[in-house]
Amino acid sequence: MHSIALQELGINAVYLPFLISEDQLPHLLDAFYLTRVQGFNITLPFKEKIIPFLDTLSEEAKMLQSVNTVKKTEEGWKGYNTDGSGFIRSLAANDISVTGKKVLIIGAGGAAKSIAISIAMVGASEIIILNRSRDKADVLAAMISQISSSTPVSTSTPRAHKIDITINATSVGMKDDSSPLSDDLIKRSEQIIDIIYNPAQTTLLKQAAALSIPRMNGLDMLLYQGVEAFEIWTDRKAPVELMRKSLMASVYPC
Ligand code: ATR
């Protein structure tokens, strides 16, 4: 999606994948700095490990202690995190707002963390975090309370009836047809979001469809974290629809 967007805007650049090992990380950064590389994405398992080699961090990256986008600046390499902002933008693109909403997040890993924090920042009225390992949910809840003291956060199954938005931020449903949510919690949700994009229809989304609950998969989150990264690197508006088409063609080849 990046190379086609660069081409569309007439920018003489390409986006290339590099497979690296941890010991190569500082050398690669030096090599990139000496060449005309303007920026790059960094993914698992180096989102935290790259931080000591960067010169500055955006507020979001600092808060999350996790970086997925790096840009060459006059002050050196600057690290950003577009996962949370990309998630919020993907919601907006689908006419979903979390402001004033009661949000249930399943999971407490890296993805759940960026989602939970960004949701707190845009003013969710309440956040509930459920995770297989309860201690990790408690750590994330404490972090959110520190960042956004006005957002009530809990880590046990909610008793009240309605949940405005339920988000699966675990990998459950990616490799098999398991579902991370009980039927009861699915039925009580007004909107279900699965951050998994492959398969496009997880068991959770099929359960939501059977109950006619509005739902969305994770493709737009993937798209918009890329859109935000593209805009950071180029200081230009990204050709979103072209990027979406390109992404869909590679994620869902016929
Ligand atoms: P990511 O950075 O992609 O979020 P992660 O940090 O490994 O990946 O987090 C994966 C999340 O999925 C965690 O919340 C994990 O729960 P635990 O903290 O208990 O490990 C959750 N997860 C993964 N497999 C699961 C399963 N089979 N059942 C329930 N939760 C699962």
Side-chain angles (χ1 to χ4, degrees):
M1 65 175 160
H2 286 297
S3 286
I4 202 160
L6 290 162
Q7 199 179 341
E8 170 77 5
L9 267 58
I11 298 170
N12 184 11
V14 285
Y15 184 91
L16 300 169
F18 289 90
L19 182 63
I20 59 160
S21 57
E22 190 174 349
D23 57 332
Q24 291 170 335
L25 200 54
H27 307 295
L28 196 75
L29 280 171
D30 287 344
F32 279 173
Y33 209 79
L34 292 173
T35 60
R36 294 179 66 191
V37 172
Q38 297 301 308
F40 55 91
N41 284 130
I42 183 107
T43 190
L44 300 173
F46 299 131
K47 285 180 163 184
E48 292 91 28
K49 289 186 175 131
I50 195 170
I51 292 178
F53 306 111
L54 301 176
D55 302 288
T56 51
L57 290 179
S58 71
E59 280 307 312
E60 213 164 353
K62 213 179 285 173
M63 200 154 59
L64 292 165
Q65 283 299 298
S66 166
V67 164
N68 76 333
T69 300
V70 179
K71 182 181 184 171
K72 187 185 276 173
T73 69
E74 283 176 4
E75 291 79 43
W77 291 121
K78 179 167 180 179
Y80 298 82
N81 192 305
T82 67
D83 290 329
S85 51
F87 178 72
I88 297 296
R89 207 158 145 187
S90 78
L91 297 185
N94 288 276
D95 293 322
I96 302 168
S97 165
V98 288
T99 309
K101 301 279 174 64
K102 181 172 176 173
V103 183
L104 169 64
I105 298 171
I106 313 292
K113 186 170 152 190
S114 33
I115 288 172
I117 290 176
S118 58
I119 280 174
M121 305 290 280
V122 295
S125 64
E126 190 183 335
I127 296 177
I128 304 137
I129 300 167
L130 298 182
N131 192 46
R132 177 176 60 180
S133 323
R134 172 85 180 262
D135 53 336
K136 276 167 75 180
D138 289 335
V139 169
L140 180 53
M143 191 175 168
I144 293 164
S145 303
Q146 230 179 13
I147 292 166
S148 173
S149 54
S150 58
T151 315
V153 192
S154 53
T155 58
S156 52
T157 306
R159 289 218 185 95
H161 288 303
K162 199 172 75 81
I163 301 154
D164 293 315
I165 302 173
T166 295
I167 302 163
N168 173 37
T170 73
S171 49
V172 179
M174 194 150 70
K175 300 237 164 70
D176 55 37
D177 57 6
S178 55
S179 170
L181 268 182
S182 66
D183 279 350
D184 171 53
L185 282 175
I186 295 174
K187 281 183 194 144
R188 284 160 53 190
S189 305
E190 301 276 306
Q191 169 97 46
I192 290 191
I193 299 170
D194 199 330
I195 69 160
I196 296 171
Y197 55 86
N198 207 358
Q201 295 297 325
T202 55
T203 297
L204 172 62
L205 293 182
K206 285 181 193 158
Q207 289 169 304
L211 294 162
S212 304
I213 299 170
R215 61 216 167 265
M216 175 180 138
N217 75 11
L219 191 82
D220 272 12
M221 181 182 178
L222 177 65
L223 169 68
Y224 280 98
Q225 64 73 33
V227 163
E228 297 251 313
F230 185 92
E231 294 181 346
I232 287 169
W233 295 322
T234 62
D235 287 321
R236 306 265 300 269
K237 206 169 158 350
V240 178
E241 285 317 309
L242 187 70
M243 291 173 78
R244 181 198 302 279
K245 250 196 196 160
S246 162
L247 185 62
M248 287 190 71
S250 66
V251 175
Y252 309 126
C254 341

